[in-house]
Amino acid sequence: MCSPEHFAVEYAINPWMDVTTPVDAQLAVKQWDRLRETLVGLGHDVHLLTPEAGLPDMVFAANGAFVVDGHVYGARFKHPQRSGEAAAHRAFYEAQGWPFIAPSETNEGEGDFAYLPEAHGGLVLAGHGFRTELPAHAEAQEALGRPVVSLHLIDPRFYHLDVALASIDDENVVYYPGAFSAASQRVLTQLFPDAVIADDSDALAFGLNLVSDGLNVVLNTEATRLAGKLKAAGYHPVPVELGELKKGGGSVKCCIAELRH
């Protein structure tokens, strides 16, 4: 995770960002602190990336890389405003001694990649359409040695896979069908017949931008309907308020890069 001490909406690169809407920087840090404390309280280790001035979106740490089996496929951001973040993430992983694969193709890390280790022998789901380019899916497959299934995002409000779909355990997902092309919806139905299906109110509340350890599902407090669906499916919803960071187009998952040893 990376503290939002420099967080601001200084440009608009997704439909949620409005440079005329003020950001309460202190409240953003307070809400982020609460998210970090929630993860620690659930028994998880949290490593911190040092925020850098001039990179207001560094708080969205999920976009910096994608890690599977201790191997790191690095990010290459689409927009120049965020391109400087990639080096900071690379330095973090290299300092940990993790094998790092530098990308040639445009991709935004876990923003557009999700991993399910028990689904069909270990499967990567990969989004494209707005940020990550389709050739990056093939590059990730070669880098990580896991089959990659491409999913076409068609609604600009759901510009990353992680605002439209999330893994909720090692073999199942929750997703919003309307974010995907008809063909990709059919693929998801075939792969995950028992998926939890979110509605548009869940998706627009950033409810799908969540993290789960297989039991506890940390999600935005606004996604009350989705919390109910997850509870009915046997999971434990853990709501967290992240209203200030939502102004930048992100929520829980955007703030968290998962380290898969």
Side-chain angles (χ1 to χ4, degrees):
M1 298 180 70
C2 182
S3 170
E5 67 179 74
H6 300 300
F7 175 66
V9 179
E10 299 175 350
Y11 44 77
I13 57 173
N14 68 59
W16 303 94
M17 301 177 86
D18 181 355
V19 295
T20 66
T21 300
V23 170
D24 185 331
Q26 288 186 329
L27 181 56
V29 172
K30 183 178 179 180
Q31 291 176 346
W32 177 89
D33 275 335
R34 179 59 184 147
L35 173 60
R36 180 182 56 80
E37 291 164 1
T38 297
L39 295 172
V40 172
L42 292 171
H44 302 292
D45 294 326
V46 177
H47 301 259
L48 298 179
L49 189 65
T50 303
E52 298 182 15
L55 295 173
D57 279 340
M58 268 189 78
V59 62
F60 300 129
N63 303 147
F66 177 53
V67 183
V68 174
D69 297 331
H71 289 73
V72 184
Y73 176 53
R76 184 176 181 180
F77 289 87
K78 177 176 181 177
H79 295 287
Q81 294 94 329
R82 298 197 65 186
S83 61
E85 298 175 38
H89 285 274
R90 179 172 186 166
F92 170 84
Y93 288 108
E94 290 182 337
Q96 307 299 312
W98 291 32
F100 186 92
I101 302 100
S104 298
E105 305 294 343
T106 299
N107 82 88
E108 299 201 344
E110 286 199 323
D112 275 319
F113 289 104
Y115 182 54
L116 293 102
E118 301 294 331
H120 308 279
L123 197 63
V124 174
L125 302 180
H128 69 98
F130 298 102
R131 296 291 185 85
T132 295
E133 300 291 341
L134 193 55
H137 295 185
E139 187 174 62
Q141 181 168 273
E142 287 299 309
L144 301 171
R146 289 283 183 260
V148 175
V149 175
S150 296
L151 300 170
H152 187 195
L153 298 162
I154 59 170
D155 187 329
R157 296 174 299 177
F158 308 108
Y159 59 94
H160 272 156
L161 182 70
D162 71 0
V163 291
L165 175 149
S167 61
I168 45 177
D169 57 36
D170 286 346
E171 56 187 352
N172 203 12
V173 299
V174 55
Y175 68 97
Y176 170 55
F180 299 94
S181 68
S184 292
Q185 289 182 43
R186 291 195 293 272
V187 169
L188 286 167
T189 299
Q190 292 174 51
L191 289 174
F192 304 104
D194 299 320
V196 176
I197 304 300
D199 61 25
D200 56 352
S201 66
D202 300 325
L204 293 172
F206 275 70
L208 291 158
N209 195 242
L210 58 80
V211 293
S212 173
D213 59 16
L215 173 62
N216 302 293
V217 182
V218 184
L219 77 168
N220 197 297
T221 52
E222 296 179 36
T224 53
R225 286 171 56 87
L226 183 57
K229 293 176 185 177
L230 290 165
K231 187 174 183 179
Y235 300 91
H236 176 229
V238 183
V240 177
E241 170 60 45
L242 284 178
E244 286 306 297
L245 294 177
K246 185 180 176 183
K247 294 175 181 177
S251 189
V252 174
K253 175 57 194 167
C254 286
C255 294
I256 299 166
E258 295 181 51
L259 307 178
R260 303 178 185 87
H261 291 280

